[in-house]
Each structure stands twice: as structure tokens, then as C-alpha cells.
Amino acid sequence: MFSETDFRIHTQPKEIVTASFEWSAPSNIALVKYWGKKEHQLDTFGNTATQIPANPSLSFTLKNCKTITKTTFTKKNRSTAASNLLSFEFLFEGAPKTTFNPKIATFLDRIVAFCPYLKEYQIVIDSKNTFPHSSGIASSASSMAALSVNIMSLEKQLYPDLSEERFYAKASFLARLGSGSACRSIKGNTVIWGKHDLIPSSTNLFGVPTPFQLHTVFENYQDTILLVDKGEKQVSSSVGHNLMHNHPFAANRFEQAHQNLSKLVAVLKNGDLDTFIEIVESEAITLHAMMMTSLPYFVLMKPNTLAILNTIWEFRRQSKIPICFTLDAGANVHVLYPKSAQEKTLQFIKDELVVYCQNGQYICDEMGFGAIEN
């Protein structure tokens, strides 16, 4: 088990003048939702820890919805390096995108204590998504995960003795400091983030691939994302998480997440799809219930979201096909189903659900295995 101390650097690096890496990292969809952060949590150095989840979560890693990021590191000259300031340029699809700079600057400021070598380099980040940027799919998880593995590739060259296990654990640790859910996009088809009694290796510091074999029914599990609303999110994730502070139902919700994760671990082993559907849909509805009962309150579903949910319920009742839905903190719907049900489910989506999607758009995805170096 790694701690914050293990991710600190205490030795001198090799001399690397320039290096360039390119990684792709996928998005992920939480089945047991992370919603709420711990306040005033301290790390082992007495500093206020950031991005510590109030409850554990479990996610499916996706395959096709991903961010591809190329990062080039060039050693500063002595006069520039003496300033001791972080220096970067961000490009989106090859063109400067300064609107993203504050988020990246915050991220780099948070991780520099663990990656002090970054101050010695001019960093150029060139990023693109395989899904439309304005699709309404959150890209922070995939983008921060992709940037983190690029940074760890530089660290691996600077410190060649870095083990693979530490490489991926620290990459997830860094990604968490950029976007909490990003730590679940580094490694594994199913990932747990947050301390849970059933998983001794679980931790609040980074995502951990589930340490057991999934039942065969979950192999190549499908996720078709229905794009109900491609507009900007009504409430940012940070604001949303803060709504759980002093929320009247927060304590019960956090306990529910622990219980549902225990049940879901058993389901992922035994393949009980009826219980899988019950847990996953309940978690999705609960996430929105928490936002509807906070102060201020938000209703992030759209009328078409509700129409889709009701249509899925009726189709499942009539067809007995084990499809279900989950939701993120927005209006879009993730339709989850086994590979064996793909043909009939896609036909159902085309026949009955596309009408509720903005411009008829949806994205077909499936379970993936995390970040890949290109």
C-alpha cells in the first residue's frame, strides 16, 4: 500500500534535456457514485489533503470515449529555470486553448510537491478527444488521466528504477488531484476508489483495479451513451460535491454507498444481473435525489431523460433483456447491457430512444482497460 510519502522524490534524477510522450486515457462511468468530499482532511505532512472522497465508488472503465494527449518536456535554460515557476502551453486539437489554462495551472500547483522536476521543464500539452468536446460527456477524467501518465513517463525516464506498480499508482494519485474521478481512468476494467472494508488494497489516495476475476457476463459489457443535452453543465462537479456538506441526508447516503459497493462486489463475481440492475439504477437515481434535496437544489434531468428511463423500464419488463441505465451529474443516459444483448438493444435504441437524443446523437462504447501509451 502506497502513502503520500511514497510518492515524494528524494533522489537526484538523470539528465533528460527533452522528451515527448503520447498516451490515451478513457473516461469512466461510476456504478456506485462518488458524490461529496471530506472537509479538512490532513495528509501525513499536516497539509490539507484535496480530493478525498466522502464515500468509496466503483466504476466501469470505458474504451472508445477517451482523450489522447501528447506532452513534450524541454529543459529550461539556467536563467529561466532559476525563476522556479511552472511553465506550460496548452493546445486543444493543435490550437491554443487558454480557457483550460487555469485548471491545468491548479493541477500542476497541486502535484509539484510530488513531481518537483516539472519546474525545470517547459511543458507543451497537445490534447484531443475521440468524442465531441461539446457532447455533454465530462472530459476532465480522461484528460487529467492522460496528462498524468505522460508526466509519469517523464518520471520513469528521470528515475529508471521506478516500478510499474508505483508508476500506475502514482499516476492515479496525480490524476485524482486534477479531477477526483480521473483516478479511476488509469488502470483496470473495474476500479474502486475510496477505502472499503471488503477491498484491503482500497484507498482514498488513488483508484485500485478490482482484485478479483469478473464473471464472464461482464466481459465486453456495453455502454451506449444517449446525448440528451450537450450543453454546458448546469452545476460544476466541485459545486455539486460541496452541496453534500451539511446535507440533511449525507450520512445516510455515504453509508448506502458502502453497502451498495459490498453488494456490487458480490454481483461482479457471481453475475447476478437482476441485482446488478437494481444497484446501478438505484445509485443513479440517488445521485440526482441528493442534488434535488440540497440547498441550493438542482434538477439536472431533462424531460427526455425521464422519458428514456420509463421507456427502458417498459422494454426490460416486456423483453426480459437485462439492460439498465446509469446517469452522471447531468441529463445524458448511459445504457448498460451485456454483449450478448447488443443486437436487440441497439435496435431498441434506434427504434425508441434516439428520438429523445439531441440531434439523434448517441455514442457506442464498451468496457476498456485504462490508459494506453501510443
Side-chain angles (χ1 to χ4, degrees):
M1 174 65 67
F2 295 110
S3 68
E4 301 101 325
T5 305
D6 295 315
F7 296 137
R8 300 267 177 167
I9 292 173
H10 304 287
T11 58
Q12 289 298 312
K14 287 182 62 178
E15 179 67 23
I16 302 293
V17 175
T18 185
S20 185
F21 312 96
E22 183 177 273
W23 284 77
S24 64
S27 186
N28 67 77
I29 181 65
L31 306 179
V32 174
K33 306 295 184 181
Y34 145 61
W35 199 244
K37 302 175 186 178
K38 291 186 178 179
E39 288 186 288
H40 313 305
Q41 186 86 2
L42 300 181
D43 63 19
T44 54
F45 300 94
N47 301 315
T48 301
T50 58
Q51 307 287 75
I52 301 298
N55 67 264
S57 58
L58 190 152
S59 63
F60 272 173
T61 308
L62 299 181
K63 181 179 180 180
N64 301 324
C65 289
K66 58 187 179 182
T67 298
I68 302 167
T69 299
K70 180 178 181 180
T71 309
T72 301
F73 302 89
T74 305
K75 199 74 174 285
K76 298 175 182 176
N77 59 44
R78 289 188 177 182
S79 61
T80 307
S83 67
N84 215 30
L85 296 176
L86 291 162
S87 179
F88 71 92
E89 179 183 6
F90 180 77
L91 308 176
F92 185 72
E93 297 182 344
K97 191 80 171 181
T98 57
T99 54
F100 289 175
N101 284 2
K103 186 174 182 66
I104 295 171
T106 297
F107 170 62
L108 294 176
D109 284 340
R110 285 177 176 174
I111 71 170
V112 71
F114 303 95
C115 308
Y117 50 82
L118 291 176
K119 293 183 288 188
E120 300 181 15
Y121 289 89
Q122 172 66 36
I123 306 168
V124 178
I125 305 161
D126 194 348
S127 197
K128 60 184 177 182
N129 296 330
T130 60
F131 49 92
H133 175 59
S134 59
S135 65
I137 298 174
S139 61
S140 57
S142 56
S143 61
M144 288 299 170
L147 179 54
S148 296
V149 282
N150 274 284
I151 290 170
M152 287 307 299
S153 288
L154 174 63
E155 184 165 317
K156 176 65 175 175
Q157 284 203 5
L158 293 169
Y159 303 92
D161 292 337
L162 181 69
S163 69
E164 181 177 340
E165 181 183 15
R166 188 183 297 261
F167 177 101
Y168 284 107
K170 185 170 179 178
S172 179
F173 172 84
L174 298 180
R176 188 200 96 231
L177 297 176
S179 169
S181 60
C183 75
R184 300 190 308 242
S185 285
I186 298 294
K187 194 84 171 167
N189 47 5
T190 54
V191 179
I192 291 174
W193 171 39
K195 188 62 182 172
H196 189 273
D197 291 342
L198 275 185
I199 310 295
S201 60
S202 62
T203 171
N204 291 333
L205 299 180
F206 50 88
V208 177
T210 49
F212 51 79
Q213 184 71 34
L214 297 184
H215 189 278
T216 54
V217 74
F218 294 110
E219 292 177 0
N220 301 316
Y221 219 74
Q222 303 293 295
D223 179 4
T224 299
I225 307 162
L226 308 181
L227 304 180
V228 175
D229 181 12
K230 301 193 298 176
E232 187 174 344
K233 291 169 67 174
Q234 182 182 342
V235 54
S236 71
S237 295
S238 295
V239 171
H241 287 295
N242 287 338
L243 295 175
M244 293 300 286
H245 301 322
N246 302 315
H247 193 293
F249 308 128
N252 287 342
R253 163 57 199 155
F254 300 147
E255 177 58 29
Q256 178 196 46
H258 279 270
Q259 294 173 1
N260 281 342
L261 200 149
S262 297
K263 295 175 186 176
L264 191 57
V265 164
V267 165
L268 292 175
K269 295 177 181 178
N270 64 31
D272 179 358
L273 287 182
D274 288 339
T275 304
F276 177 81
I277 289 169
E278 179 181 279
I279 295 168
V280 169
E281 292 190 345
S282 172
E283 278 284 317
I285 296 297
T286 299
L287 170 66
H288 284 259
M290 290 298 101
M291 286 181 281
M292 286 190 281
T293 52
S294 62
L295 284 175
Y297 39 79
F298 296 91
V299 180
L300 301 188
M301 293 187 194
K302 302 292 185 182
N304 281 357
T305 307
L306 293 172
I308 289 170
L309 305 194
N310 281 301
T311 306
I312 288 173
W313 284 331
E314 182 61 20
F315 174 76
R316 188 171 69 221
R317 187 185 67 80
Q318 292 186 2
S319 70
K320 308 303 180 186
I321 293 174
I323 78 167
C324 67
F325 65 83
T326 188
L327 308 165
D328 56 17
N332 296 333
V333 181
H334 291 248
V335 184
L336 305 176
Y337 51 95
K339 179 76 171 178
S340 60
Q342 184 177 36
E343 183 178 351
K344 290 182 178 179
T345 301
L346 286 178
Q347 192 60 54
F348 159 63
I349 289 170
K350 293 173 186 175
D351 291 344
E352 299 192 46
L353 299 184
V354 166
V355 65
Y356 300 115
C357 298
Q358 191 171 344
N359 300 322
Q361 287 188 291
Y362 61 94
I363 297 173
C364 291
D365 211 332
E366 62 183 347
M367 185 184 289
F369 291 90
I372 298 172
E373 187 169 17
N374 299 336

